[in-house]
Each structure stands twice: as C-alpha cells, then as structure tokens.
Amino acid sequence: MKQFISVNDVIDINELVSQALQYKANPFQDKHLGNGRRIGLMFFNPSLRTRLSTQIAAQNLGMDAIVFNAGGDGWALEFGDGAVMNGTTVEHIKDAAPILGTYFDILCVRTFPSLINREDDYNEKVLSQFIQHVGIPVVSLESATLHPLQSLADAITIQENCTNFTDSRKPKVVLTWAPHIKPIPQCVGNSFAEWMSAWDKVDLTVASPEGFELKDTYTKGATITNNQTEALADADFVYVKNWSSYKDYGKVLANADEWMLTEQSLKHAPNAKIMHCLPVRRNVELNDELLDGNRSLVTQQAANRVWSAQTVLSNILKGL
Ligand code: CP
C-alpha cells in the first residue's frame, strides 16, 4: 500500500478486515515491523479517537509517533499556486511539506472541509498538496471528503456482528441522515457509502431528506431514498450520521426532529444494531435509549479504530 486516502487504495476489503481482526486478537504480533520508523500525525482540526487510536496503532508496530497540532500551533499555510504572500499566510505548502518528508516515514493528516467552497473541498485542495509535495506515503485522518480509517473500522465492526448471513442473505445496512445544529462535513457519510458499496458483503440503503443526498459518486449501487421509515424496515445495521447539504453546499436543515433515531423508528427493524462514528449529539441525532441500549455498537466501533489504523500502517510499512 502506497497511501491510504480512500477505498480506492485497497485491493481487497475482506483481506484488510481479516488482517485487522488478527491484530485485534494479537496486537503485538508485528511489534518490530516499524522499528526505526517515525510517523507524523498532523491535525488541522480537533480529534479524540483518530488521534489516540492512530498513536496506539503506531506504537503497537514499534513506530515512533509525533503529533503536531498544525491548526493551533503551526504557521498558517498557503496553498495557492503563485500566491503573493503579503496577507495572513506565513509558509507555503511547497516549502513545508518536503521538510516533513525528511522528518517522517509516513505522514498522516486531518484536514476538514471549508463547507463554503465545494470545488476546493471536493478537489481535496489541502490533502492533495501534501501528497504532491511531501514525497512519503500519506494517510488520511479525515479529509475534506472522506474518512477511510473510520470506514475500515466500521467494516470490521459489521464483520464482527455479521453472524448468520450468506451471499444470498446479505445484511441490510442503512445509512440514515440525522439532525444536527450546525454544518457538518459529508466525509463520514461519503466514505461509509463508498466502502459499503465497494464491499461484496452487504446491501446498502442511504436515506436522507430531499436536498441532502450525498454526491452520487459515493453511493453507486446503493438504494437511495428520502423515506427513512421505509429505509429502516428489516435493517440489520443502522449507521446514524448528520451531514450538511452537498447540493446547497454546507446548508443545515432546521426543524428535522422527525429524523432523530429512536426505538420507535426501529419498530420494523427488531434486530438492527446501531452505529455512529462519534462524537454524537445525544438526543439530537439519536436518543439516549438507543445509545445506552443493547443495540449500540458505538464503543466497539471506536475501539476498532486501533485495528483499522494498525492494519493500514502495517501495509504501508511493508511497502517502504
Ligand atoms: N470518529 C472520529 O473520527 O472521531 P474523532 O473526531 O474524535 O477523531
């Protein structure tokens, strides 16, 4: 593996999930693989799970991990080609990135979208320039459009809870939009839809209010609907997530409380397990009863972030 930016960097999802479950059973089986290697984790945005799980994963492989809060502690970076830097930006990505390439063997970057300029965000203006100029493998810790380490952890979690399914009776996985009070990136929804669509193990349905459909690039092969009740019927896994509008870019939907997931929403899905990447707005996106009940997989999902990151890092290390 040369980089980990999207599902397109993965040859075989099943193989990756299988490797992750082996690491979960035996975390230190490759504890010397990363000896003498250093990984940089650059955060332009806040994080709990991604920051800690990726550090733990690197340590399990014997790597030295350095975290840099680029958003708060770093120089303001310029990304414009030919920019006259007489404003607020201090250092050009063309100068900064190659230096990082000499400090580290792998660079991981978290950079959220603006949710203002759709073209820049969907062209991955920031992450693509790190890839272009750093000269070492890059791992996305959540970019403007995707969150692949989360999606791999989600696939691991589904696999672990996927008993009694066959090729002719695949689990029904529903990604449902949920309310939120502020504009949230489409990354987790895009990424989850892209991974589930690419995975031969599940059937995916994506439900959202009208005008809040994800970009169709990510939902190819999925059933798309604006009817949450119909979508949830007989679901085996329900992934709850808010995202702002792709169409009316960054727009929030107010007064959409009927989309909050509750036990009542699942009256026709008695076996459905509940997923959310966290952090979650309790009693806005879904209620306490579901999050605290037996249906919830959210802690298992977050725990699986370690094995997701460890699997990806080990595959990159083997290719160095
Ligand atoms: N799910 C997730 O990426 O969590 P953090 O934002 O806390 O890293």
Side-chain angles (χ1 to χ4, degrees):
M1 193 181 278
K2 302 291 182 205
Q3 62 174 19
F4 190 69
I5 304 303
S6 79
V7 76
N8 298 322
D9 297 309
V10 178
I11 295 168
D12 184 343
I13 296 175
N14 286 316
E15 174 59 25
L16 222 53
V17 169
S18 167
Q19 285 176 20
L21 291 172
Q22 284 170 39
Y23 277 131
K24 188 167 185 171
N26 189 1
F28 303 110
Q29 71 185 50
D30 284 330
K31 65 182 178 188
H32 299 302
L33 183 64
N35 285 172
R37 301 288 190 181
R38 190 178 297 121
I39 186 170
L41 310 175
M42 281 193 85
F43 285 87
F44 287 93
N45 311 96
S47 165
L48 186 152
R49 282 144 289 271
T50 306
R51 175 185 306 248
L52 297 175
S53 63
T54 311
Q55 278 182 268
I56 293 166
Q59 286 168 2
N60 285 352
L61 294 167
M63 297 186 86
D64 192 15
I66 295 180
V67 178
F68 180 46
N69 297 317
D73 299 340
W75 298 116
L77 289 177
E78 174 63 52
F79 293 89
D81 207 19
V84 178
M85 290 173 57
N86 58 1
T88 54
T89 55
V90 179
E91 181 161 31
H92 203 285
I93 185 69
K94 286 199 278 191
D95 299 315
I99 297 164
L100 299 172
T102 69
Y103 293 165
F104 301 113
D105 298 287
I106 300 172
L107 183 70
C108 306
V109 181
R110 166 165 282 198
T111 170
F112 286 174
S114 68
L115 293 179
I116 295 167
N117 186 326
R118 188 171 84 172
E119 190 181 345
D120 278 356
D121 289 346
Y122 273 72
N123 283 333
E124 292 288 2
K125 179 183 163 188
V126 175
L127 190 67
S128 65
Q129 293 208 46
F130 272 103
I131 294 168
Q132 186 181 344
H133 298 296
V134 76
I136 56 173
V138 172
V139 173
S140 167
L141 299 175
E142 188 170 350
S143 69
T145 61
L146 295 168
H147 196 356
L149 284 174
Q150 178 66 53
S151 304
L152 175 54
D154 300 335
I156 296 163
T157 309
I158 290 173
Q159 175 73 57
E160 288 182 308
N161 288 278
C162 226
T163 48
N164 302 327
F165 292 104
T166 62
D167 280 350
S168 56
R169 162 84 176 96
K170 291 180 180 178
K172 179 177 178 181
V173 175
V174 179
L175 169 62
T176 180
W177 184 93
H180 207 287
I181 58 162
K182 60 177 209 169
I184 297 292
Q186 295 101 39
C187 317
V188 171
N190 286 344
S191 195
F192 183 74
E194 185 179 59
W195 277 71
M196 293 302 119
S197 299
W199 200 18
D200 56 3
K201 282 273 173 82
V202 302
D203 285 325
L204 178 68
T205 298
V206 183
S208 72
E210 213 174 324
F212 283 76
E213 294 82 4
L214 294 170
K215 188 178 184 203
D216 57 9
T217 321
Y218 303 109
T219 56
K220 281 196 187 101
T223 301
I224 311 294
T225 177
N226 300 129
N227 187 325
Q228 190 193 48
T229 305
E230 280 178 20
L232 292 173
D234 300 322
D236 297 298
F237 296 91
V238 179
Y239 202 107
V240 187
K241 187 73 186 86
N242 170 268
W243 56 86
S244 56
S245 178
Y246 171 74
K247 189 175 169 194
D248 190 357
Y249 196 56
K251 182 185 158 192
V252 174
L253 186 62
N255 305 319
D257 293 353
E258 70 277 14
W259 280 81
M260 180 175 83
L261 206 74
T262 64
E263 195 60 55
Q264 175 66 15
S265 325
L266 297 171
K267 62 185 175 200
H268 299 304
N271 301 318
K273 296 288 188 186
I274 303 304
M275 303 178 72
H276 190 290
C277 63
L278 305 180
V280 63
R281 295 271 182 159
R282 279 175 174 254
N283 304 307
V284 175
E285 295 178 78
L286 66 164
N287 69 2
D288 285 336
E289 186 184 13
L290 285 179
L291 279 164
D292 298 333
N294 292 335
R295 290 179 184 270
S296 175
L297 299 178
V298 298
T299 305
Q300 188 178 349
Q301 258 179 287
N304 282 336
R305 291 293 306 274
V306 172
W307 319 117
S308 166
Q310 191 164 335
T311 303
V312 167
L313 296 182
S314 71
N315 277 283
I316 291 176
L317 281 169
K318 286 170 189 165
L320 288 179

